[in-house]
């Protein structure tokens, strides 16, 4: 019954302006109006990553729950983990509206939100009030007007260290001017070095080791991928998230395609997966990768894993397919494990990485 109601509700949500629909969804989740899929977890989808036991490899990407409002609902719907944010030290309203545009035919969204969120303190309070378990990552970013962006990331590590299962350092959003410049060699070295120094300081104080993942953009030039990967490995980051939205407009046209901002959804799938394959090869499969971009079916989720993703995240796919997509993805992954006769989903990670690494990024 709940899934039938959500099917009808999905059509109603798509009739609303995008940001209104998003807020309506969050409020429904806060009130407990969502289907529960915990019973559909399959033992072959369980895996231990960074010392944590993930019930399955599927999570919802940052941007959906910016302010840690619906963490427990995300987990109860059947996700193996949740990620909140991007959160910045100070609250900020983001870019002027309209700033979110759907492309239903292409299964895509263009956004130029600009890290709109309620700031560190508001998100921290909600996470501190949680009583349930589960793996919850905190995606941290920098305020638009900050003078020292690296310091904002360091502040995020320190602020959320006691409540985060892991951290994602988001330097890949195209909607904060200059943010992607942090991927340049000198800036990246400074940023990651300072973040890891703060973690080392907290560990020295007797706190547990929290994994640090760096999220990179899909628009990185081909010749820069290996260098960025080398730098991240040298700093001993725990994982790389591949990738964020793109400034390119592959396969779409028309007035909405000319809107500024990052494109997410189905048109991003090929480039982000080719990037994923390249990062897996460049890192020799030695560190876990989170595959993001264009996942709107069980088959695409499986492809991400075969291309090198230990974990996967989706967001735009939920907008057009609803929460039933979570169940269909986990079921497809479980069937793939059975068909391949592997004991765990980890047995499928990276088996097609070389193939994807050799595909043109702009195909």
């Amino acid at each position: 019954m709940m899934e039938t109601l959500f099917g009808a509700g999905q059509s109603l949500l798509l009739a609303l302006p995008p940001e209104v629909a998003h807020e309506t969804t969050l409020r429904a989740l806060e009130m407990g109006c969502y289907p529960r899929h915990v019973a559909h977890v399959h033992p072959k989808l369980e895996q231990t990553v960074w010392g944590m036991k993930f019930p399955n490899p599927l999570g919802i990407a940052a941007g959906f729950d910016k302010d840690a409002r619906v963490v427990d609902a995300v987990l109860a719907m059947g996700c193996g983990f949740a990620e909140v944010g991007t959160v910045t030290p100070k609250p900020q309203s983001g870019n002027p509206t309209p700033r979110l545009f759907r492309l239903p035919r292409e299964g895509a969204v263009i956004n130029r939100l600009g890290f709109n969120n309620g700031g560190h303190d508001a998100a921290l309070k909600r996470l501190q009030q949680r009583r349930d378990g589960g793996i919850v990552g905190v995606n941290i970013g920098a305020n638009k007007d900050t003078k020292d962006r690296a310091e904002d990331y360091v502040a995020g590590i320190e602020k959320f260290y006691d409540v985060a299962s892991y951290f994602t350092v988001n330097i890949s959003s195209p909607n904060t001017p200059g943010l992607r410049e942090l991927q340049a060699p000198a800036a990246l070295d400074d940023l990651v070095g300072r973040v890891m120094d703060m973690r080392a300081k907290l560990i020295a104080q007797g706190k547990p080791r929290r994994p640090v993942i760096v999220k990179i953009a899909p628009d990185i030039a081909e010749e820069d991928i290996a260098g960025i990967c080398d730098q991240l490995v040298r700093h001993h980051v725990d994982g790389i998230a591949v990738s964020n939205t793109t400034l390119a407009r592959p396969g779409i046209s028309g007035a909405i395609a000319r809107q500024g901002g990052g494109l997410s959804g189905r048109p991003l799938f090929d480039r982000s997966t080719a990037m994923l394959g390249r990062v897996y090869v460049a890192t020799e499969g030695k560190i876990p990768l989170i595959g993001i971009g264009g996942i709107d079916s069980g088959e695409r989720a499986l492809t991400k894993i075969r291309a090198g993703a230990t974990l996967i995240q989706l967001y735009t796919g939920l907008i057009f397919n609803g929460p039933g997509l979570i169940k269909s993805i986990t079921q497809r992954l479980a069937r793939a494990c059975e068909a391949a006769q592997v004991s765990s989903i980890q047995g499928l990670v990276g088996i097609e990485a070389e193939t994807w690494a050799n595909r043109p990024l702009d195909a």
Side-chain angles (χ1 to χ4, degrees), residues 220-234:
I220 293 172
E222 173 98 35
E223 60 272 18
D224 294 334
I225 296 172
I228 288 174
C229 289
D230 287 345
Q231 204 164 26
L232 295 178
V233 170
R234 191 172 70 252

Side-chain angles (χ1 to χ4, degrees), residues 171-172 180 183-184 188 215-229 232 240-243 245-246 271 275 278-279 361-362:
I171 54 174
S172 54
R180 288 188 172 187
Q183 296 174 137
L188 183 63
K215 188 171 185 176
I216 61 175
D219 301 325
I220 293 172
E222 173 98 35
E223 60 272 18
D224 294 334
I225 296 172
I228 288 174
C229 289
L232 295 178
I240 303 173
V242 188
S243 57
T245 58
T246 179
R271 182 179 180 94
M275 277 279 295
R278 283 165 168 78
V279 173
L361 285 176
D362 297 317

Side-chain angles (χ1 to χ4, degrees), residues 65-68 71 84-90 117-130 136-141 152-168 198 202 207-211:
D65 187 12
K66 289 176 177 289
D67 294 308
V71 171
V84 304
T86 298
V87 191
T88 58
K90 296 183 294 185
N117 73 102
H120 281 181
D121 289 341
L124 177 63
K125 183 178 180 179
R126 292 190 185 97
L127 292 172
Q128 287 173 330
Q129 291 172 341
R130 292 187 65 238
V136 180
V138 177
N139 186 299
I140 53 175
D152 280 8
Y153 291 92
V154 172
I157 298 289
E158 187 171 23
K159 174 71 76 169
F160 292 100
Y161 205 82
D162 291 334
V163 295
S165 301
Y166 70 88
F167 290 96
T168 297
M198 173 52 71
L202 294 168
K207 295 183 182 292
R209 186 182 189 278
R210 304 294 191 205

Side-chain angles (χ1 to χ4, degrees), residues 165-225:
S165 301
Y166 70 88
F167 290 96
T168 297
V169 176
N170 186 0
I171 54 174
S172 54
S173 172
N175 298 318
T176 296
L179 188 79
R180 288 188 172 187
E181 293 173 7
L182 292 173
Q183 296 174 137
L188 183 63
D189 186 60
D190 175 66
L191 168 65
V192 179
R194 288 164 66 179
V195 163
M196 301 306 268
D197 285 347
M198 173 52 71
R199 184 179 71 170
K201 176 183 176 181
L202 294 168
I203 292 173
Q205 294 173 4
K207 295 183 182 292
R209 186 182 189 278
R210 304 294 191 205
V212 172
I213 292 89
V214 176
K215 188 171 185 176
I216 61 175
D219 301 325
I220 293 172
E222 173 98 35
E223 60 272 18
D224 294 334
I225 296 172

Side-chain angles (χ1 to χ4, degrees), residues 30-317:
E30 286 176 321
M31 292 188 294
C33 299
Y34 52 84
R36 274 73 168 172
H37 291 315
V38 175
H40 299 285
V41 172
H42 192 284
K44 289 194 174 184
L45 299 186
E46 296 178 354
Q47 55 183 329
T48 299
V49 186
W50 304 311
M52 297 179 286
K53 187 174 181 179
F54 287 74
N56 66 66
L58 178 63
I60 294 180
F64 177 77
D65 187 12
K66 289 176 177 289
D67 294 308
R69 292 168 56 183
V70 294
V71 171
D72 295 318
V74 166
L75 296 172
M77 285 192 293
C79 286
F81 64 108
E83 184 169 309
V84 304
T86 298
V87 191
T88 58
K90 296 183 294 185
Q92 60 181 27
S93 58
N95 294 320
T97 58
R99 55 192 182 178
L100 192 60
F101 309 89
R102 300 189 196 101
L103 296 92
R105 183 181 62 186
E106 293 86 356
V109 167
I110 293 173
N111 94 80
R112 51 172 180 266
L113 291 166
F115 285 173
N116 56 309
N117 73 102
H120 281 181
D121 289 341
L124 177 63
K125 183 178 180 179
R126 292 190 185 97
L127 292 172
Q128 287 173 330
Q129 291 172 341
R130 292 187 65 238
R131 294 293 178 265
D132 297 330
I135 296 170
V136 180
V138 177
N139 186 299
I140 53 175
N143 281 113
K144 182 178 180 178
D145 60 356
T146 192
K147 295 293 189 288
D148 183 354
R149 284 185 169 153
E151 187 57 33
D152 280 8
Y153 291 92
V154 172
I157 298 289
E158 187 171 23
K159 174 71 76 169
F160 292 100
Y161 205 82
D162 291 334
V163 295
S165 301
Y166 70 88
F167 290 96
T168 297
V169 176
N170 186 0
I171 54 174
S172 54
S173 172
N175 298 318
T176 296
L179 188 79
R180 288 188 172 187
E181 293 173 7
L182 292 173
Q183 296 174 137
L188 183 63
D189 186 60
D190 175 66
L191 168 65
V192 179
R194 288 164 66 179
V195 163
M196 301 306 268
D197 285 347
M198 173 52 71
R199 184 179 71 170
K201 176 183 176 181
L202 294 168
I203 292 173
Q205 294 173 4
K207 295 183 182 292
R209 186 182 189 278
R210 304 294 191 205
V212 172
I213 292 89
V214 176
K215 188 171 185 176
I216 61 175
D219 301 325
I220 293 172
E222 173 98 35
E223 60 272 18
D224 294 334
I225 296 172
I228 288 174
C229 289
D230 287 345
Q231 204 164 26
L232 295 178
V233 170
R234 191 172 70 252
H235 278 290
H236 304 290
V237 302
D238 299 278
I240 303 173
V242 188
S243 57
N244 210 314
T245 58
T246 179
L247 291 172
R249 297 293 183 262
I252 66 171
S253 59
I256 293 181
R258 293 191 289 273
Q259 291 287 347
L263 174 75
S264 62
R266 196 181 308 138
L268 179 58
F269 181 79
D270 284 350
R271 182 179 180 94
S272 62
T273 310
M275 277 279 295
L276 178 67
R278 283 165 168 78
V279 173
Y280 184 89
V281 170
T283 57
E284 299 179 342
K286 292 179 179 178
I287 62 174
L289 308 180
I290 302 179
I292 314 165
I295 299 174
D296 59 5
S297 69
E299 204 59 41
R300 285 175 180 255
L302 179 58
T303 298
K304 288 284 189 188
I305 289 170
R306 287 172 169 162
T310 295
L311 303 170
I312 53 176
Q313 291 178 330
L314 75 164
Y315 177 5
T316 303

